[in-house]
Amino acid sequence: MRKVESSAAMTGIILNLQPFVEFSNDQFYELCRIHQELNFERTARGELVILPLSGGLQGIRIASLIGELGLWNRRSRLGKVFSSTGFILPNGAIRSPCIAWIPSERWENLTLEQREKFLPFCPDFAIELRSKSDSLPPLQRKMEKYIENGLRLGWLIDPKNRQVEIYRQNRDKEVLENCDRLEREDILPGFMLDLSIIWEE
């Protein structure tokens, strides 16, 4: 077992169970289903990641983000919004962004069985929200892996430093300091996120 960071800035605990046990995607799904009180992810190397539950302020912020993206999506009818949903990335990792979005056609191409389990692809858009106890580098690496596996747009929102890192395909990372809103992204036409809902405590 190894921790990602010290307890003062912990993003999660990684358990290297190989060569003792190796979970298939279906077995990992069952593990998560049985232990719904825990947050699990799996790395590309097959390591089990145990993530801490959200605190109250983090939960409010995530709910606000879901509400804003969900409202835009209901109006635009362009796709599906997800929270704490497992995605099987092309590199074999199973990751669960705070919030994710895919176009409608990707959802419509899934079978009922695929819809009920972890989705077999990387989302098109993802948000990771840094909590007070999260270390920033592991979240940055996570966003980079999303991009490597097909993510088209990613926002890493850091309320502690009032900073947003924007990740896009074939472009350098963009860092915004003390910005008021996020908008004008081709993948999310007409969506505007007022960051005051995140900066407020």
Side-chain angles (χ1 to χ4, degrees):
M1 180 181 73
R2 65 183 177 88
K3 292 184 179 180
V4 174
E5 297 290 335
S6 68
S7 59
M10 188 172 66
T11 301
I13 295 175
I14 293 181
L15 299 176
N16 186 359
L17 301 179
Q18 296 179 327
F20 308 108
V21 62
E22 183 173 348
F23 293 107
S24 68
N25 291 340
D26 286 340
Q27 289 172 328
F28 185 70
Y29 174 82
E30 286 301 313
L31 177 71
C32 296
R33 187 185 63 80
I34 293 170
H35 299 284
Q36 296 185 28
E37 72 282 5
L38 298 174
N39 293 329
F40 291 123
E41 291 184 336
R42 190 182 71 191
T43 70
R45 293 181 291 186
E47 298 164 317
L48 184 65
V49 183
I50 305 174
L51 300 169
L53 295 174
S54 297
L57 182 57
Q58 181 79 346
I60 289 173
R61 286 170 169 160
I62 291 174
S64 296
L65 289 170
I66 294 170
E68 293 296 307
L69 186 62
L71 179 61
W72 165 82
N73 194 64
R74 284 195 299 274
R75 290 172 175 169
S76 68
R77 298 184 178 181
L78 291 177
K80 298 294 183 182
V81 178
F82 305 89
S83 176
S84 301
T85 299
F87 289 85
I88 304 172
L89 306 186
N91 68 358
I94 298 178
R95 293 296 192 177
S96 177
C98 290
I99 301 166
W101 178 89
I102 63 170
S104 296
E105 56 267 25
R106 299 191 78 186
W107 178 255
E108 292 164 359
N109 287 333
L110 296 173
T111 65
L112 178 59
E113 183 179 4
Q114 287 174 318
R115 292 178 181 183
E116 291 177 340
K117 295 186 176 181
F118 299 137
L119 301 185
F121 45 61
C122 184
D124 291 65
F125 170 60
I127 299 175
E128 290 289 358
L129 181 65
R130 183 188 184 189
S131 72
K132 187 175 182 180
S133 62
D134 282 338
S135 176
L136 191 55
L139 290 174
Q140 291 170 325
R141 289 193 292 271
K142 193 173 183 181
M143 297 301 292
E144 290 166 358
K145 290 298 181 183
Y146 285 146
I147 289 293
E148 291 173 9
N149 282 271
L151 187 77
R152 295 168 59 195
L153 174 67
W155 292 346
L156 173 51
I157 302 176
D158 180 2
K160 181 178 180 180
N161 297 310
R162 293 199 170 208
Q163 175 178 291
V164 180
E165 296 184 6
I166 302 178
Y167 296 77
R168 302 180 181 93
Q169 283 288 326
N170 304 314
R171 293 174 61 179
D172 292 335
K173 177 177 69 177
E174 181 180 1
V175 180
L176 303 178
E177 305 278 356
N178 294 309
C179 60
D180 297 323
R181 60 187 181 182
L182 298 172
E183 59 180 337
R184 298 180 182 176
E185 295 286 357
D186 292 341
I187 186 177
L188 306 170
F191 179 59
M192 189 276 289
L193 176 62
D194 181 355
L195 287 168
S196 66
I197 65 172
I198 303 301
W199 304 153
E200 291 177 354
E201 296 187 3

